[in-house]
Amino acid sequence: MTRAEPAGSALALAPGSRVGIIAGGGSLPVEVADSLAAHGYPPFILLMEGEADRKQQLSRYEHVIMALEQMGSLVSTLKRHGVTHLVLAGEIKRRPRLSNMRPSLGLLAIVPSVIVALARGDDGLLKVLTRGLEKRGIKVVGAHEVVPELTAGRGTLTATEPIKSDWRDIEAGLAAAKAIGALDIGQAAIAIGGRAIALEGIEGTKGLLERTRELRGHGRLAGKTRGVLVKCAKPGQELRADLPSIGPQTVEAAHAAGLAGIAVEAGCSLILEGPTTLARAKALGLFIVGLPATGPADGR
């Protein structure tokens, strides 16, 4: 992947370390697992029931299938399989239903914190989960620490570069994305004509791009061209989970929405299936830009 500046160095693991992966949807769990195996650390995979969609690729590693409502047994499962480090990788679309959880000592220990965290939003829940695991002897690491080559570098990463009007869209989109991130709503915004026109909500980036495509002929957007998708970490975000990410499908959807390109926060965002993503951007004439990180976040 071409970068103006490198994104970071790989995680150093001591001999005897074993990394577990909580695998949600998308290609990230596969890329993390394959990288670990290639470096001599075959991972242990927890396939999240109803969430992991790359089971065939992940099931070649030692694994178990776990429902979200079984999370009370997470620590005992990890320790039984010798896991010392844990990566949260991939999309988890729903939250656990507390009423369906099986009673256990592990569950009773975490339920009060989980209830408080659910009220705080997604990032609050992730922070409680990561810190709770570390209190119980499992070190949580970010996917970007295990596979640093996935992390977006700073600068223009494609042959196509933004033009002057695109930079106005990038500035407007970044301000909007940071604003909704501070409210723990989402990580992305789309700007066209120098102003934000759509914000990411519960539907995710895919839904945001579909909505923008539908808005193209509406009102003040009619006749306007170009525009930029901007994704960035939430202010103070726990970077060991739920990093902003783009992949080939993002590029395809951005093109379908009539956008000129995509901007992500360098060092705090992932470019999944990097060669394929950049190849599709080149074929479709879109730019991808890594922006300077704009503020501190947890888990760096």
Side-chain angles (χ1 to χ4, degrees):
M1 190 182 303
T2 303
R3 292 186 177 90
E5 295 180 11
S9 57
L11 174 72
L13 291 171
S17 297
R18 191 174 198 196
V19 182
I21 301 172
I22 294 183
S27 66
L28 181 58
V30 177
E31 297 196 61
V32 173
D34 289 349
S35 178
L36 285 166
H39 287 87
Y41 295 93
F44 171 67
I45 313 291
L46 293 105
L47 295 167
M48 301 313 297
E49 190 174 65
E51 304 289 341
D53 55 12
R54 306 292 176 100
K55 291 181 181 179
Q56 186 173 359
Q57 293 165 281
L58 291 168
S59 60
R60 62 178 176 266
Y61 302 110
E62 186 179 3
H63 66 279
V64 298
I65 297 174
M66 178 176 285
L68 288 172
E69 286 75 19
Q70 295 176 300
M71 293 299 280
S73 63
L74 175 62
V75 173
S76 61
T77 300
L78 294 173
K79 290 192 172 182
R80 189 164 62 249
H81 289 86
V83 171
T84 58
H85 297 69
L86 184 68
V87 181
L88 284 68
E91 184 180 16
I92 303 292
K93 294 180 180 178
R94 72 175 182 89
R95 296 182 179 187
R97 300 182 182 93
L98 294 179
S99 61
N100 292 344
M101 287 186 168
R102 300 173 185 173
S104 68
L105 290 177
L107 176 61
L108 293 174
I110 65 171
V111 162
S113 296
V114 169
I115 291 173
V116 172
L118 285 170
R120 294 178 184 165
D122 292 336
D123 198 53
L125 180 59
L126 291 171
K127 287 178 179 178
V128 165
L129 177 60
T130 55
R131 292 166 188 175
L133 286 167
E134 294 199 324
K135 286 180 181 178
R136 291 162 177 82
I138 306 293
K139 181 172 177 58
V140 179
V141 295
H144 62 298
E145 298 176 84
V146 178
V147 196
E149 59 267 27
L150 295 182
T151 311
R154 182 174 169 178
T156 303
L157 309 178
T158 50
T160 302
E161 297 191 9
I163 62 176
K164 186 175 181 180
S165 64
D166 296 328
W167 284 109
R168 290 196 293 271
D169 288 341
I170 289 170
E171 183 178 351
L174 180 62
K178 286 295 183 183
I180 63 170
L183 298 173
D184 203 7
I185 294 172
Q187 301 172 318
I190 290 174
I192 300 174
R195 65 188 181 96
I197 61 95
L199 308 175
E200 183 183 55
I202 196 170
E203 82 278 34
T205 304
K206 179 181 178 182
L208 169 66
L209 288 165
E210 289 175 351
R211 182 154 41 92
T212 300
R213 177 175 56 79
E214 294 169 356
L215 286 170
R216 273 296 183 181
H218 183 271
R220 286 181 287 179
L221 281 185
K224 290 189 179 294
T225 60
R226 305 186 72 82
V228 181
L229 167 69
V230 182
K231 294 197 73 169
C232 59
K234 300 170 184 176
Q237 178 171 330
E238 171 56 76
L239 292 183
R240 291 171 292 180
D242 195 32
L243 280 181
S245 64
I246 63 170
Q249 295 81 8
T250 316
V251 172
E252 298 280 359
H255 179 259
L259 301 182
I262 300 169
V264 295
E265 193 171 16
C268 303
S269 304
L270 303 178
I271 300 181
L272 307 180
E273 301 178 59
T276 301
T277 298
L278 294 180
R280 287 308 295 153
K282 178 180 179 180
L284 296 172
L286 270 68
F287 63 78
I288 299 177
V289 172
L291 304 174
T294 56
D298 291 345
R300 289 181 188 245

